[in-house]
Amino acid sequence: MASTCSVDCVLLGLESILNRGRYDPYDVRVAITHMKFLKTFVMCASKWSQSNDLYLQSDNVVKKVSLPSFLSCIEDTFHKYVEDIHSLSHDEIYVVLHEIEKEIISLKQEIIQIYFALASSRSFQSNSCMTDDELLEFIDLILQNLADLTNYCMYWKINEYDPLSAQVQDLEAKLTFLKSFIPFAKMRGTADIPALLLAHFEVVALTAARLSYMWSFWKNAEEMHNPQFYYRSTCSFKLLSIRAVDFHVYEIYKEVLAASDSSASLHTAVMDERILNNFNDSLIGLLWELLCCSSSFVDSMKDEMRILCAGLRFLRRILREHHEMMDEQNEKIGALLGEAGIIIFSPTLSRVIEGEVSFSGSTQVLDFCDMLANTNIHIKNFKDQISGSSTIESLPNSSYSLRAPEVSQTSSRMLSKGKMPIDHEVMVGLDDEAEKVIEPLIKHFEDQLSVPSTIQSLPNSSHSLRAPEVSQTSSRMLSKGKMPIDHEVMVGLDDEAAKVIERLVSGSKQVEIVPIVGMAGLGKTTLAKKAYNDSSVTCHFHIRLWCTVSQEFNMKSLLTQILCSDGKHSRMDEELKNLNEHELLHKLYQRLKTKRYLVVFDDVWDIKVWNELRISFPDDKNQSRIIFTSRSSNVASQVQHGGEPHYLHPLSKKESFELLQKKVFGEEEECPQALHGLGMEIAEKCWGLPLALVVVAGVLATIEHDILVWKKFAESLTSTMVSGTDQWNKSLELSYEHLPYHLKACLLYFAAFREDEKIGAKSLMRLWIAEGFVEIIEGKRSEDTAEEYLMDLIGRNLVMVSKSRSIGGVKTCYIHDLIFEFCKGEAKEKNFLQVLRGYDELSTFNEENPPRLSIWCSGEDFMKSRLFCPHLASLLFFDATPGYKKFELLNISFLFCIYKHLNVLNLEGIDLMLKELPAEVESLICLRYLALSAWKMRFIPPSIAKLSHLETFCLNSHQMVSLPDSIWNMKKLRHVDAWSGIVICLSSNDNGVENLSTLPNLDTLSCLYLCETGESLYEEGENILRSIPNVRRLKISDRQTGNGVLNMSRLECLESLTWLGYYCSSSWEHVEPPFPMNLKKLSLRNLGLPCSKMSLIEELPNLEVLKLRDRAMEGQRWELMEGGFPKLRVLTLEEVEVVEWIDSGDDYFPCLQQLKLFGIFNLKMMPACLGSISTLETIEMKDCKDGVKSLVRKIEEEQKDYGNENLKIIYGKY
C-alpha cells in the first residue's frame, strides 16, 4: 500500500506556515486545500493499489496506468519539499508555493481519469474493495473537501457560478445520507453491509470525489472559460441524480432497513441516539426535497407526505430529549425510521416522479400509498404513547391571528383624553439601596379608561383581524403628543453622573474599565449616555465609541458596530463588510492606538465578549477608559483592569414621584394639586424602579386626569413587592392589557427583531400594514394611521425613540429588553409569532400552522433544519452567521414551492446569490411585503406582476436593477425601494400621454435611474413622473444631459425629494419652477443650479429641510431672497463652492434650528441674519477651513449678544 507520508508532511508544513501569520493567507490556504484534495485521492487509490492496471482514455488515446507506480510518483514528487518547508525564507516560501501548485496541476488530469476509471470498474462488480469503515473514512474526506470549496480561500470560485454551488450542496446531502445509513444499518443488526450495496455506495463516493476534485480547479481561467468543463461536470452529476440508492440495489437496501435485531449493537444509548439522529436528519432532508418538487404524484400525495415529514420532525424532537427507558424508545424509533427510509427510496416513487409510471391505475403505486399511510399511522401511535406518558404536549390545531378587527361602521374606539406622555427619557437622582420589584399590576381597569370594553385580552380562538375598508372616516382619535426628539433629558442624575465622569477623566494613567451595575430597568444605559455625552468627557478623549452587546451577539457585527459608532463609516461600507473578524480586530486596534479613547459596552451579559475583544484595546498609559453596563456583578468582577463597580439603586419616594410626574405631564407642567396625593401613592407602590414608573406612567397618560379615575387605578395596584423576572413580565401586563386592540399586535411584532435593535420606523410601519394590523380608513393613507399607532406606543412609554427624522417623525425606534422578553413570551403563548434561533430550535420546531416565524440562524443551520410550514403567513430571516460569512442562499425555489400562503417575506438579513429573481415568485399570490438582499441581482421577471396584492418591494443590490414594464399592472404597489437604483420602462401598451399606465397608490420610489441621453429618453422620464402622480417620497438619479430639467412640479403630493443630477448651469436657463409646492424635504446633488435660480427653492412655502451637496448649486455669490425659507428648520451645505453668501435685510430663516457646514473651503461671507435668529440651536462643522470657523465664531458671539447662551457649535471630521 502506498504511503501518504510526504503529502501529510507537506500539508502539516503549510498549516504551520499559515499559523505563523507572516505570509499572504490566501496563497497558503489555496495550497493547503489542494493538498487536502490530493490526500483524499491517495487514500482512495491506495485501496485499489493491488488491483489490475487501469486504462485511461483521453483524446482517443488509451494509456495504461499502474496505481502503485502512480502513487509512488506522487510520494517522490512531494518528498523533496518535506525537509525544507519549515526552514524556508519569506521569498522562498512563495517560490515553493508556486512549485507545489504546478505539481498539483500537472497531476490533475490523470487523477480525474483514475477516479472515472475506478468508478466505471466498480459499476460492473458486485463486491467492494473497501470495508464499511474505510468507506466512511473516504466519505468523510470528500465531505471535508466539499467544505473547503466554500471556505474563505475558495468561496468566490464556486459562488461565481451559481449552478455549481447548488451541485456542491446537493452532493453534500447525498454523501451525508450514505455516511448516516451505514452506522444506522449496523445499529439495527446488519453486522456486514451486503457487498452489492457497499459496491454501489463506492461508485457514488468515487464519482463524488472526482467531481469535487474537478471543481477545486474552477478558478483556473482555462476551466472557467471552457464550456466542456461544466458539461462534463453536469453529466457526471446527473449520474448521481439517480439517487444514492439505485433501483438495482433497492431490495437489498429494503432488507437492511427492515432488520429488527438490534442485539448486535455494541453502542451505548447515547451513541445509538446520535446515529438515529443523523439518519433521521438525512431522511428529513431527502423528503423535504421531494416536497419541493412539482410532480403531479407528489402534489396528489402531499398531505400524506407532509404528515410523514411532521412525524420525522417529531422523532427528531424526541431524540433530542432524554427520557427514561431510552433504549426501548430508540428501538421503536429505529423501526419507524426504517419504514420511512423504505418509502423515501422506493423505486415506485422514483419512477412516478421521473414519469416512467403513471399515478392512476398502477398496483405498485396503490401499494406504495398504503405503505405510506401505514407508516404515518405507526408514527402517530408512537406519538400518542409518548404524549400520554411525558411532558410533550399535543400540537395546537388552531392558528392565532392578530389583525385589525372587521368594522362595518365608524369605530367607536377613543384613545386618551389625557395628555400624551413625554416621548424622551427623563431620569432623576438615585440613592437608597433596595432590591425589590413591582408586584404584578394585573387587575383590569377598563371601566374607568376612556377606551371602551372592546380593549380586552387576546382571545384564544382563531380569527382574522384584518379590517376591510370602511365607508367613512373612523372617529378613533389618537393622542397627538410631542414629536419625539433624539436627545435625552435627564433630571437629578448629576450626582451619579459626576462620580462616573470623575473616574473617566482622572485617576490612573493605565486603561481602566468602569462597570455600571444594577438590576434591569434602573437606568444603567441612561447614566452611561449622560457621562458619554458630557462636555468634559468629549473634550478629554480623542475618540469615543459605543456598542450594544446584549445576550446574543455576532462578533463581526459587534466589531462593525464599534467601528461605525463614530460616524466615519457606514454599516454598508465595502471596506468593513469584506473584512473578517481578525482584520476587524486589527483595524480597531489601529484606530485606538496612541489615542486616548472611551469605549462603552452596553448591556454585557457574558465576560466572553470582552475576552475576545480585549486584544484590540491598547494600553498606551494615556488614561483611556472603557465603560461596561451590566446586570451582573459577576461580569464586572471578572474584568481585567476593572475598577470597583458603580452600583445603581432604586429611586427615593420623592424622586419616584418626580419621574412619574414628568413622564405623565411633561417638563413644563406639574401634577394638578388634586391628584398630587394619589400620584405619590401610585409612585410609592412602584418602589423606586424607573421602568415600572415609566410603565405605570404610560397607563396614567391614557386615562382621564380625574380624582375618581386615579383613585380607582391606585386601588388596583398592590403594595406587595416580589423580585424576579416573572414578576417583571406580569407587571408589564398592565400596560399590555390596557392597550387598544390594534396596538397589541403592533407591540408584539417587536419580538420579531433582535434584542436592542434600532428598528427603521418606515420598514416597521410597512410591515404592520402588510400584516393587516392597520385599519383601512377611507380618505386616509395607511402610513399616516400606522405612524399614529407608533406615536401612541411611544406615548405609552412602551417604545422608545432612537433617532428622529429631520422633518419630524421617528427614524428608528426600539423597546427595552425587558419589554422585548415580555413580547416574545406573549407572542409565543398567543401563537402570534414564533422566534426560532439556531439549529436546535429550528430542527425541533414542529408546529404545522404557525402564523409567523422570525428566524435567526446561519445559512447552514437553516438549510440543514429543513423547516416545513406550508401554511405560514409571514417569514422573516435574520443573519446569525458567525465570522466573516453571511447567511447566504444559493437557491430559494423551496420558498415558492412550500410557502405559498405568505403575506410577508423579509429576506433582508441574508444574501441571495442570484442575478435574477426566479420567475416562480409568481406562486406567492398572497404576498404584500417582499424585501430582499441580493448583491448581484440585476433583473426582476415580468411574472412579478402576478403578485397583485404586493404593496412593498425592497431590494438591496449593488447592481442597477431592471424592472419589467409589467410593473405598471401592480396597482396596489405603494413602496419600491432599490439600494443602487432601478430602471423602469413604460408599458408597451401606452399610447400617448393621455393613455399612460399609472401606479396611483405609489407612495415611495427610490432610486429611479435615468441614465441615457436623447430627447426621447427625456420625454420618457417626464412620462414616468406623470405615471406616479401621488408619490410622496422620491429619490431620482438623473444622468440625462442637455435635454432640459425634469419638471417635478406636477407631483403635488411630493413631500421628500432627493435629486442626484448631472446638469450644468446652462440647463436651467429657461426653466419654470420644477419643484412642487408641498415639498418638506429637498436634497440636491450635482444639479448645477445657478445661485441666481435659488429663489426656486427659497420660495417653497412648506420646505423644512434642505441639503445642498457636491455642486448642487453653481456660482460664487448667493444672495438670499427676502422672505425666503419661511419654514426651513435644517440647512446643510456640503462641498459647495459659494464664496459670498449674503442677505440684505432681516426677514430670513424665521424657523432655522440647525445649520450644517461640511467640507466648505472658500466661504468668505455669511448672512448677517444668522447672528440674530432666535430659533438657532446648533451649527455643526466638519472639515471646514479656518476662515469658515472664524465666521461661525462671529455668529456665536452675536447670538450671545442677543441672549442665546445655548447655541451649540459642533466641530468634527468626516
Side-chain angles (χ1 to χ4, degrees):
M1 185 175 292
S3 171
T4 64
C5 180
S6 296
V7 173
D8 285 335
C9 289
V10 172
L11 188 54
L12 288 172
L14 291 172
E15 289 172 343
S16 174
I17 291 171
L18 181 64
N19 293 332
R20 286 182 231 162
R22 292 183 293 175
Y23 308 97
D24 184 349
Y26 176 81
D27 290 338
V28 181
R29 282 181 176 134
V30 168
I32 289 173
T33 300
H34 281 306
M35 290 301 296
K36 286 181 178 179
F37 277 84
L38 187 60
K39 178 180 178 179
T40 302
F41 169 77
V42 171
M43 178 269 173
C44 165
S46 66
K47 306 304 177 185
W48 279 273
S49 60
Q50 303 304 317
S51 62
N52 297 329
D53 293 338
L54 297 174
Y55 293 89
L56 311 182
Q57 184 172 348
S58 176
D59 298 328
N60 297 321
V61 176
V62 177
K63 175 183 177 182
K64 186 172 74 170
V65 172
S66 165
L67 273 182
S69 299
F70 188 70
L71 290 173
S72 296
C73 175
I74 293 176
E75 174 71 14
D76 294 340
T77 298
F78 292 96
H79 180 75
K80 59 188 176 185
Y81 301 112
V82 171
E83 295 181 3
D84 297 333
I85 199 164
H86 295 284
S87 58
L88 296 173
S89 66
H90 184 279
D91 293 335
E92 290 172 333
I93 284 290
Y94 288 104
V95 173
V96 168
L97 288 175
H98 180 67
E99 289 179 357
I100 290 175
E101 186 77 5
K102 285 178 63 178
E103 299 284 8
I104 290 173
I105 291 174
S106 70
L107 296 168
K108 177 187 70 172
Q109 201 58 43
E110 280 186 279
I111 289 177
I112 291 173
Q113 291 174 348
I114 289 172
Y115 270 136
F116 182 79
L118 288 174
S120 299
S121 66
R122 302 309 304 143
S123 300
F124 301 104
Q125 298 182 25
S126 59
N127 64 312
S128 62
C129 287
M130 290 184 176
T131 66
D132 47 20
D133 287 337
E134 289 173 337
L135 181 58
L136 285 174
E137 182 186 357
F138 183 38
I139 291 173
D140 264 333
L141 288 173
I142 302 170
L143 285 170
Q144 290 174 25
N145 292 158
L146 290 171
D148 285 334
L149 287 175
T150 55
N151 72 6
Y152 178 78
C153 68
M154 305 192 83
Y155 174 72
W156 65 272
K157 304 175 191 176
I158 295 301
N159 283 308
E160 283 296 306
Y161 200 82
D162 296 337
L164 208 54
S165 301
Q167 289 188 5
V168 171
Q169 290 184 346
D170 201 6
L171 194 54
E172 285 177 321
K174 284 180 168 60
L175 292 174
T176 301
F177 164 74
L178 296 184
K179 182 182 174 183
S180 67
F181 173 80
I182 295 173
F184 176 78
K186 295 177 74 172
M187 188 198 82
R188 296 285 299 152
T190 305
D192 297 310
I193 304 295
L196 181 61
L197 190 60
L198 210 57
H200 172 73
F201 289 175
E202 280 181 4
V203 173
V204 175
L206 285 165
T207 308
R210 180 168 65 90
L211 284 173
S212 64
Y213 197 79
M214 289 171 62
W215 291 339
S216 71
F217 293 95
W218 180 240
K219 76 161 187 175
N220 292 2
E222 62 180 281
E223 306 289 14
M224 292 182 69
H225 297 95
N226 181 1
Q228 288 299 314
F229 175 84
Y230 182 65
Y231 174 76
R232 293 195 306 270
S233 170
T234 303
C235 289
S236 299
F237 192 78
K238 286 180 178 177
L239 292 175
L240 289 177
S241 67
I242 60 176
R243 312 168 80 200
V245 178
D246 203 357
F247 298 152
H248 72 280
V249 295
Y250 176 72
E251 291 301 323
I252 303 173
Y253 169 79
K254 182 178 177 181
E255 290 175 11
V256 171
L257 286 182
S260 59
D261 179 15
S262 59
S263 61
S265 175
L266 301 177
H267 302 126
T268 65
V270 174
M271 289 176 65
D272 284 350
E273 197 170 285
R274 184 167 58 248
I275 292 169
L276 291 170
N277 252 318
N278 291 339
F279 187 63
N280 189 26
D281 285 348
S282 293
L283 292 180
I284 290 173
L286 295 165
L287 181 55
W288 190 82
E289 294 288 347
L290 292 175
L291 287 167
C292 289
C293 79
S294 58
S295 164
S296 60
F297 170 77
V298 175
D299 286 341
S300 303
M301 291 299 299
K302 241 169 193 175
D303 287 342
E304 286 292 338
M305 295 182 76
R306 286 170 180 167
I307 293 171
L308 179 58
C309 186
L312 293 178
R313 292 182 67 87
F314 170 77
L315 296 180
R316 175 194 267 170
R317 178 179 168 189
I318 295 298
L319 287 168
R320 301 286 168 84
E321 300 176 2
H322 296 287
H323 300 276
E324 296 179 4
M325 303 174 66
M326 186 185 298
D327 288 332
E328 182 181 341
Q329 282 191 6
N330 287 349
E331 172 67 23
K332 292 178 180 178
I333 291 173
L336 292 171
L337 294 180
E339 285 188 50
I342 291 170
I343 289 169
I344 293 170
F345 281 99
S346 166
T348 302
L349 178 60
S350 300
R351 287 169 175 154
V352 171
I353 290 174
E354 294 169 13
E356 297 179 17
V357 179
S358 66
F359 173 72
S360 59
S362 168
T363 304
Q364 290 178 332
V365 172
L366 293 176
D367 290 343
F368 171 81
C369 293
D370 289 341
M371 185 167 56
L372 173 58
N374 288 333
T375 299
N376 285 335
I377 291 172
H378 296 160
I379 294 177
K380 182 180 183 301
N381 291 339
F382 177 73
K383 179 180 176 182
D384 290 342
Q385 292 174 10
I386 293 293
S387 300
S389 60
S390 72
T391 58
I392 299 174
E393 300 175 356
S394 60
L395 301 176
N397 294 320
S398 61
S399 66
Y400 189 84
S401 178
L402 260 178
R403 298 183 181 278
E406 295 188 3
V407 291
S408 56
Q409 56 184 347
T410 303
S411 170
S412 62
R413 275 190 251 119
M414 299 290 291
L415 292 183
S416 165
K417 292 188 174 64
K419 188 170 181 178
M420 178 72 77
I422 300 308
D423 49 20
H424 51 265
E425 292 186 29
V426 181
M427 294 300 298
V428 295
L430 315 169
D431 49 25
D432 300 332
E433 182 180 29
E435 293 184 354
K436 302 173 183 177
V437 295
I438 189 166
E439 221 261 326
L441 309 175
I442 303 174
K443 187 177 179 183
H444 288 282
F445 191 53
E446 293 165 354
D447 56 329
Q448 298 297 334
L449 290 175
S450 59
V451 185
S453 59
T454 54
I455 306 170
Q456 298 172 357
S457 61
L458 300 176
N460 293 321
S461 60
S462 174
H463 67 280
S464 175
L465 257 164
R466 184 186 294 282
E469 295 188 13
V470 291
S471 58
Q472 52 186 319
T473 303
S474 169
S475 64
R476 175 168 43 81
M477 303 296 294
L478 291 168
S479 301
K480 301 291 185 181
K482 283 184 181 179
M483 188 61 65
I485 56 177
D486 55 9
H487 64 275
E488 298 168 336
V489 178
M490 306 174 196
V491 179
L493 261 182
D494 292 343
D495 290 343
E496 296 291 331
K499 295 174 185 176
V500 174
I501 292 169
E502 176 68 18
R503 293 177 64 174
L504 297 179
V505 300
S506 62
S508 171
K509 294 292 183 182
Q510 289 185 318
V511 66
E512 184 177 315
I513 296 174
V514 180
I516 299 176
V517 179
M519 65 184 298
L522 276 182
K524 300 180 293 294
T525 301
T526 304
L527 178 59
K529 285 182 180 178
K530 182 174 178 64
Y532 183 83
N533 291 317
D534 186 82
S535 58
S536 63
V537 171
T538 58
C539 294
H540 183 73
F541 292 97
H542 303 137
I543 183 172
R544 294 175 304 130
L545 302 172
W546 182 292
C547 69
T548 302
V549 182
S550 301
Q551 282 180 281
E552 299 176 9
F553 63 89
N554 174 293
M555 188 56 65
K556 181 176 179 181
S557 297
L558 190 62
L559 285 163
T560 304
Q561 183 189 155
I562 297 171
L563 289 165
C564 292
S565 64
D566 63 352
K568 295 182 178 180
H569 288 275
S570 161
R571 295 282 182 95
M572 301 300 294
D573 275 4
E574 289 290 334
E575 178 188 357
L576 298 182
K577 190 168 74 72
N578 293 328
L579 299 181
N580 60 33
E581 284 182 21
H582 177 77
E583 291 164 332
L584 287 169
L585 285 166
H586 183 61
K587 187 172 185 66
L588 178 58
Y589 179 85
Q590 290 178 316
R591 176 80 66 83
L592 300 179
K593 185 64 177 170
T594 72
K595 298 182 179 71
R596 184 186 300 123
Y597 57 82
L598 170 63
V599 180
V600 177
F601 288 85
D602 186 33
D603 198 16
V604 179
W605 288 74
D606 193 328
I607 195 61
K608 176 184 175 183
V609 65
W610 172 244
N611 291 338
E612 293 186 23
L613 286 173
R614 63 184 178 186
I615 59 172
S616 291
F617 291 82
D619 186 3
D620 293 319
K621 306 297 186 295
N622 58 4
Q623 215 173 44
S624 292
R625 294 290 183 263
I626 298 167
I627 293 178
F628 275 20
T629 72
S630 180
R631 300 183 192 183
S632 171
S633 299
N634 291 333
V635 169
S637 64
Q638 294 175 53
V639 177
Q640 187 180 3
H641 306 304
E644 283 295 316
H646 183 96
Y647 289 100
L648 281 184
H649 307 291
L651 309 180
S652 66
K653 295 178 183 179
K654 179 181 178 182
E655 291 162 345
S656 295
F657 177 68
E658 184 181 350
L659 176 58
L660 184 73
Q661 177 179 244
K662 289 181 181 298
K663 296 299 285 185
V664 175
F665 298 98
E667 294 280 346
E668 306 299 330
E669 298 182 28
E670 293 186 358
C671 177
Q673 193 61 38
L675 299 175
H676 197 277
L678 289 168
M680 288 288 289
E681 180 184 345
I682 292 169
E684 185 176 351
K685 290 183 178 182
C686 293
W687 281 84
L689 294 171
L691 182 60
L693 287 157
V694 167
V695 167
V696 169
V699 178
L700 289 175
T702 62
I703 65 176
E704 297 287 354
H705 295 168
D706 177 84
I707 293 177
L708 292 178
V709 176
W710 276 46
K711 183 177 181 180
K712 184 69 175 177
F713 181 81
E715 290 172 354
S716 73
L717 303 179
T718 67
S719 58
T720 306
M721 299 297 169
V722 185
S723 62
T725 302
D726 290 341
Q727 283 66 36
W728 267 111
N729 284 338
K730 291 177 181 178
S731 73
L732 292 172
E733 288 180 8
L734 176 68
S735 280
Y736 177 73
E737 294 299 341
H738 287 85
L739 282 177
Y741 203 89
H742 57 282
L743 292 185
K744 287 183 177 179
C746 295
L747 180 64
L748 293 186
Y749 207 73
F750 278 87
F753 300 90
R754 191 188 297 272
E755 182 182 1
D756 291 322
E757 181 178 354
K758 306 305 185 286
I759 304 164
K762 286 181 185 177
S763 297
L764 177 64
M765 291 186 289
R766 292 172 187 174
L767 284 165
W768 285 350
I769 293 169
E771 294 281 6
F773 303 156
V774 178
E775 185 178 335
I776 300 171
I777 301 173
E778 186 178 351
K780 187 173 184 178
R781 291 177 183 263
S782 296
E783 291 79 9
D784 294 337
T785 305
E787 187 170 18
E788 291 174 351
Y789 288 10
L790 180 59
M791 292 303 301
D792 205 340
L793 288 172
I794 291 169
R796 295 168 186 269
N797 299 314
L798 294 171
V799 177
M800 290 173 278
V801 179
S802 174
K803 192 173 182 181
S804 295
R805 293 166 53 206
S806 54
I807 59 173
V810 181
K811 188 167 187 177
T812 57
C813 59
Y814 66 104
I815 58 175
H816 192 281
D817 49 5
L818 281 181
I819 298 177
F820 172 81
E821 291 297 330
F822 169 82
C823 289
K824 194 165 69 167
E826 192 75 10
K828 182 177 181 179
E829 181 182 341
K830 295 291 192 290
N831 196 25
F832 169 78
L833 167 77
Q834 293 274 14
V835 181
L836 303 178
R837 299 174 186 270
Y839 178 72
D840 287 343
E841 291 186 14
L842 275 169
S843 60
T844 57
F845 182 75
N846 206 35
E847 293 190 20
E848 295 183 14
N849 299 313
R852 299 172 188 87
L853 283 181
S854 174
I855 297 175
W856 297 83
C857 69
S858 68
E860 179 184 1
D861 285 346
F862 174 73
M863 295 307 296
K864 193 168 65 170
S865 73
R866 303 304 194 192
L867 190 68
F868 189 77
C869 302
H871 300 291
L872 194 66
S874 299
L875 184 58
L876 301 95
F877 281 99
F878 298 93
D879 184 23
T881 306
Y884 56 85
K885 279 190 178 181
K886 242 182 106 60
F887 182 157
E888 293 172 338
L889 283 178
L890 306 171
N891 185 351
I892 57 173
S893 296
F894 69 92
L895 291 172
F896 311 133
C897 294
I898 297 176
Y899 304 106
K900 294 188 177 182
H901 301 286
L902 288 175
N903 295 320
V904 170
L905 178 59
N906 186 350
L907 304 180
E908 285 187 307
I910 65 177
D911 188 8
L912 305 180
M913 305 299 290
L914 303 172
K915 296 178 181 178
E916 181 173 358
L917 184 64
E920 296 94 325
V921 70
E922 66 183 38
S923 65
L924 306 182
I925 57 176
C926 301
L927 206 61
R928 303 180 74 195
Y929 183 102
L930 177 60
L932 310 171
S933 284
W935 300 124
K936 300 178 183 179
M937 190 169 288
R938 293 175 177 269
F939 302 105
I940 305 299
S943 60
I944 195 173
K946 293 187 179 180
L947 307 183
S948 58
H949 299 286
L950 192 66
E951 297 172 349
T952 298
F953 177 55
C954 299
L955 174 60
N956 292 332
S957 174
H958 286 168
Q959 310 298 324
M960 192 64 58
V961 180
S962 177
L963 295 183
D965 62 2
S966 60
I967 199 84
W968 299 104
N969 298 325
M970 302 175 70
K971 302 302 181 182
K972 291 187 178 181
L973 202 59
R974 299 190 60 79
H975 308 283
V976 177
D977 195 341
W979 192 58
S980 289
I982 51 178
V983 177
I984 308 178
C985 295
L986 291 172
S987 173
S988 57
N989 298 324
D990 290 344
N991 183 18
V993 174
E994 298 79 10
N995 299 312
L996 286 174
S997 299
T998 64
L999 294 176
N1001 292 306
L1002 194 67
D1003 184 271
T1004 306
L1005 179 58
S1006 174
C1007 165
L1008 177 62
Y1009 195 80
L1010 303 173
C1011 55
E1012 301 293 340
T1013 61
E1015 188 171 344
S1016 62
L1017 272 300
Y1018 167 74
E1019 291 177 358
E1020 183 166 324
E1022 289 279 323
N1023 287 336
I1024 289 175
L1025 296 183
R1026 290 187 180 96
S1027 300
I1028 50 173
N1030 299 312
V1031 69
R1032 279 204 299 178
R1033 297 181 179 89
L1034 175 63
K1035 182 176 182 180
I1036 183 168
S1037 181
D1038 182 5
R1039 299 298 178 181
Q1040 299 180 110
T1041 58
N1043 302 311
V1045 178
L1046 288 174
N1047 187 357
M1048 307 279 184
S1049 61
R1050 63 174 58 89
L1051 302 176
E1052 297 179 356
C1053 299
L1054 195 63
E1055 295 180 0
S1056 176
L1057 172 62
T1058 299
W1059 195 348
L1060 315 176
Y1062 195 69
Y1063 290 98
C1064 57
S1065 58
S1066 61
S1067 303
W1068 295 86
E1069 288 180 1
H1070 305 291
V1071 173
E1072 295 298 321
F1075 304 108
M1077 291 295 103
N1078 285 325
L1079 267 185
K1080 294 182 179 179
K1081 180 177 181 180
L1082 179 61
S1083 179
L1084 305 178
R1085 185 189 295 269
N1086 284 325
L1087 217 60
L1089 179 66
C1091 288
S1092 59
K1093 293 282 187 176
M1094 280 299 295
S1095 59
L1096 296 175
I1097 298 175
E1098 295 176 44
E1099 64 190 12
L1100 294 175
N1102 298 303
L1103 191 65
E1104 297 180 23
V1105 177
L1106 175 63
K1107 300 178 181 180
L1108 301 173
R1109 294 178 165 140
D1110 300 335
R1111 296 183 65 246
M1113 51 194 267
E1114 281 192 355
Q1116 297 188 349
R1117 180 182 174 86
W1118 175 16
E1119 184 173 354
L1120 294 172
M1121 178 187 76
E1122 190 165 354
F1125 296 123
K1127 292 186 179 180
L1128 194 69
R1129 295 189 297 107
V1130 180
L1131 174 61
T1132 299
L1133 302 179
E1134 181 177 344
E1135 297 184 9
V1136 295
E1137 298 178 355
V1138 173
V1139 177
E1140 297 179 3
W1141 180 24
I1142 60 175
D1143 58 8
S1144 57
D1146 298 324
D1147 189 17
Y1148 305 97
F1149 300 122
C1151 301
L1152 189 66
Q1153 296 173 353
Q1154 300 176 41
L1155 174 62
K1156 301 180 181 182
L1157 305 173
F1158 301 156
I1160 305 298
F1161 299 149
N1162 302 320
L1163 192 61
K1164 305 296 183 186
M1165 299 176 64
M1166 293 177 69
C1169 63
L1170 294 175
S1172 59
I1173 296 173
S1174 61
T1175 57
L1176 193 60
E1177 297 174 357
T1178 61
I1179 301 178
E1180 183 177 359
M1181 289 182 290
K1182 290 183 180 179
D1183 286 349
C1184 294
K1185 292 292 187 181
D1186 291 340
V1188 180
K1189 295 178 182 178
S1190 298
L1191 292 173
V1192 171
R1193 281 194 290 269
K1194 181 181 178 183
I1195 293 172
E1196 182 181 21
E1197 293 171 2
E1198 292 173 352
Q1199 283 280 332
K1200 288 181 180 179
D1201 292 341
Y1202 275 90
N1204 184 3
E1205 298 286 344
N1206 297 319
L1207 177 64
K1208 291 183 179 179
I1209 310 298
I1210 302 171
Y1211 300 92
K1213 293 183 177 181
Y1214 280 125

